[in-house]
Amino acid sequence: MTEQPRRRRRGLTPPVVQEERTVHRAVAATSVGNVAVWYDFGIYSYLAAAVLDRVLFPDGGQWATAYTLAAFAAAFLMRPLGGFVFGRLGDRIGRTKVLSATMLLMAVATVLLGLVPSHGTIGLTAPLLVLLVRMLQGFAVGGEYTGALTLIAEYAPDRRRGFFGSWLEFSTLAGYALGAGVCAAVIAAVPEGDLLSWGWRLPFMLALPLGLTGIYLRMRLEDTPAFRQLMERSPALSTMSARRALQIVVVHYRSAALVATGVIVAWNVTNYVMTNYVPTYLAATLPRNGAGGSSQAVAATLQVAVMVLMLCVIVSVGRLSDRIGRKPVLMAGSLSLIFFGLPAVWLLREGLAGQVAGLLIMGMSLVCFAAVSPSTLPALFPTMIRYSSLAVIFNLAVSLFAGTAPTIIEAAVTATGNLDWPGFYLVGAGVIGVISTHFLKEQAGRPLDGAAPLTSSAELPAPPLSDEGVPLEQPRQ
């Protein structure tokens, strides 16, 4: 039997109290693993224009960078499949087991990427192997990020879900910043010849200790309060078919799925343009078109600096959304893309000061999405299909519209000579964000659909004290 979707009304269900230490441990374990995952996933793009285009496509000419980014985009072909497989498993056997598996798979794939022989050694087999390993990475990421979203949202107390959810994107930015920093250090420290022969492999090798740390922390967690409630109430749901889960989404949560898709597209187009395309735009695209630009080391340094600034404010923005709601923050980010997306790209062509200003504009727009989307998206779906719904919707949206953005933008710039294409993408993302946010139902401070209200021990009122100052279990009559 399967349980019909139902929405719990506030005040009718006693709240579940979760120990504050357990909440912090769950958020920390998920976030540390997330740092490792996005370090693994992002270092390819940071090395693309600096070295990988010459290692993998030495005869590619002006299209070498586009070919290298196409291998980056290939990972997104597998993300929906990974989301489907791991999402269903997460709704059937639990969140923590699946997240440990995706972490292991991601670490192994990244190490393998660093072991692939160069084009000079095995010819065209080298980029083909890279393509296969990138697809394996995409398969793992397809189940990783939405599982992390689900786990933190289901552990976070209702009144502070925005605050705790923002730590997930804090860790994503930390992973990207770590990847950019390591790549910049390797590029600066290793001579050109050594960089092309073996130096580029060093960032990929660091994936192993990072991944093992994340796996260890996640395997020590028990499953989320919401999932445990679901299994206690309806254990037969662990056998619910994928077809039934899809039917529930289509019949009962169609509007939520459309809103989620729009938010995901706006958020991730901004993310992939800034974190994955701008380094290539500054180091390869602009110089090739006679528009200045910067070295790969400078581009990576600028990325790290902007992401560090985002790290300084993202948790505060998440906390703010617990007070004023998610919609105002998402709307601010969407409108900033519409009005400042193109000017931000124009500034990237105006020397170092312009590049700093352009990246800051993109970063402040991105932080509005990154701070509140992790708490917004899981609240749109019930516990029994939350992981699988988010995994499929998130990965389809990212794969079709966001992950392909660097490749499409680079191809469009190469074909037309118009350097404004990144700005066009940002403005389009802003329009989608405004429409989606308009139809979003505010969920700040409310219990997750299908779960009892959740609070933490830190939010309970202090117990009454005796005349001697000893805490009492019950108030005196």
Side-chain angles (χ1 to χ4, degrees):
M1 295 178 61
T2 58
E3 185 174 282
Q4 292 297 319
R6 57 182 178 180
R7 299 182 183 272
R8 295 178 177 271
R9 288 183 291 169
R10 298 179 69 185
L12 298 183
T13 305
V16 172
V17 179
Q18 182 69 62
E19 282 292 331
E20 183 77 2
R21 289 178 301 176
T22 304
V23 176
H24 284 279
R25 190 157 59 90
V27 173
T30 308
S31 298
V32 169
N34 200 53
V35 169
V37 165
W38 292 107
Y39 168 86
D40 294 354
F41 200 72
I43 52 178
Y44 182 95
S45 61
Y46 291 122
L47 294 172
V51 59
L52 292 183
D53 53 350
R54 288 175 287 168
V55 171
L56 300 176
F57 302 100
D59 302 322
Q62 68 172 349
W63 287 92
T65 301
Y67 294 152
T68 309
L69 289 175
F72 172 82
F76 294 90
L77 296 176
M78 295 298 291
R79 284 186 63 164
L81 179 60
F84 177 79
V85 172
F86 290 119
R88 287 305 305 140
L89 284 174
D91 282 337
R92 297 177 71 171
I93 68 174
R95 293 32 169 146
T96 55
K97 297 182 181 69
V98 172
L99 282 173
S100 297
T102 58
M103 181 78 262
L104 176 62
L105 185 59
M106 189 69 184
V108 170
T110 305
V111 172
L112 288 176
L113 195 56
L115 297 175
V116 171
S118 66
H119 186 281
T121 303
I122 59 174
L124 287 176
T125 306
L128 290 177
L129 287 175
V130 168
L131 187 67
L132 290 175
V133 177
R134 284 293 299 172
M135 293 174 76
L136 183 60
Q137 282 188 318
F139 184 76
V141 170
E144 159 65 30
Y145 189 70
T146 47
L149 281 178
T150 300
L151 189 143
I152 287 185
E154 292 182 351
Y155 257 114
D158 298 333
R159 293 174 56 190
R160 292 185 290 159
R161 188 167 293 115
F163 168 72
F164 284 113
S166 65
W167 281 103
L168 183 65
E169 273 301 294
F170 181 98
S171 67
T172 298
L173 291 169
Y176 275 130
L178 178 62
V182 169
C183 291
V186 169
I187 292 168
V190 179
E192 181 79 4
D194 292 337
L195 184 66
L196 291 172
S197 62
W198 56 266
W200 65 271
R201 302 178 188 277
L202 296 178
F204 294 101
M205 295 298 104
L206 186 58
L208 188 59
L210 287 174
L212 291 176
T213 303
I215 293 167
Y216 171 75
L217 293 173
R218 289 180 177 186
M219 290 184 68
R220 299 180 63 204
L221 286 177
E222 65 176 348
D223 232 308
T224 66
F227 185 79
R228 297 199 305 269
Q229 293 167 33
L230 179 67
M231 290 297 101
E232 291 170 3
R233 186 171 69 240
S234 303
L237 286 173
S238 63
T239 63
M240 183 169 60
S241 67
R243 180 178 180 180
R244 174 58 178 153
L246 177 62
Q247 183 183 35
I248 291 173
V249 173
V250 171
V251 174
H252 298 280
Y253 293 92
R254 183 170 55 250
S255 297
L258 291 173
V259 168
T261 300
V263 172
I264 292 165
V265 169
W267 170 22
N268 283 276
V269 165
T270 309
N271 178 36
Y272 282 97
V273 168
M274 192 192 98
T275 61
N276 294 103
Y277 181 68
V278 166
T280 299
Y281 186 73
L282 292 176
T285 306
L286 291 181
R288 190 177 66 243
N289 287 272
S294 64
S295 68
Q296 182 70 21
V298 170
T301 301
L302 291 176
Q303 284 274 24
V304 172
V306 172
M307 285 190 281
V308 167
L309 289 176
M310 292 174 64
L311 289 172
C312 293
V313 302
I314 190 168
V315 175
S316 297
V317 176
R319 192 193 300 271
L320 178 65
S321 76
D322 286 326
R323 297 177 55 190
I324 67 173
R326 322 290 188 222
K327 292 184 67 170
V329 180
L330 289 172
M331 189 62 75
S334 301
L335 290 173
S336 69
L337 289 176
I338 292 174
F339 291 110
F340 301 114
L342 270 169
V345 172
W346 295 337
L347 285 168
L348 295 180
R349 308 200 288 266
E350 299 300 325
L352 182 60
Q355 291 162 10
V356 171
L359 278 169
L360 281 174
I361 292 171
M362 293 182 194
M364 292 305 101
S365 299
L366 176 58
V367 83
C368 293
F369 292 101
V372 304
S373 294
S375 54
T376 301
L377 297 173
L380 296 173
F381 301 98
T383 304
M384 65 177 137
I385 58 167
R386 180 170 294 124
Y387 194 161
S388 53
S389 299
L390 280 177
V392 173
I393 293 168
F394 191 99
N395 288 296
L396 279 174
V398 170
S399 297
L400 291 174
F401 302 106
T404 56
T407 305
I408 294 175
I409 292 171
E410 178 64 17
V413 171
T414 302
T416 66
N418 189 337
L419 296 172
D420 290 339
W421 276 98
F424 298 153
Y425 253 76
L426 292 176
V427 172
V431 172
I432 293 171
V434 166
I435 295 172
S436 303
T437 303
H438 173 75
F439 290 101
L440 175 69
K441 294 181 180 178
E442 184 62 69
Q443 296 290 338
R446 299 178 182 177
L448 292 174
D449 192 1
L454 182 63
T455 187
S456 82
S457 57
E459 297 174 344
L460 297 176
L465 303 177
S466 68
D467 294 335
E468 293 76 24
V470 177
L472 300 173
E473 293 187 4
Q474 298 292 334
R476 290 177 294 179
Q477 300 296 322

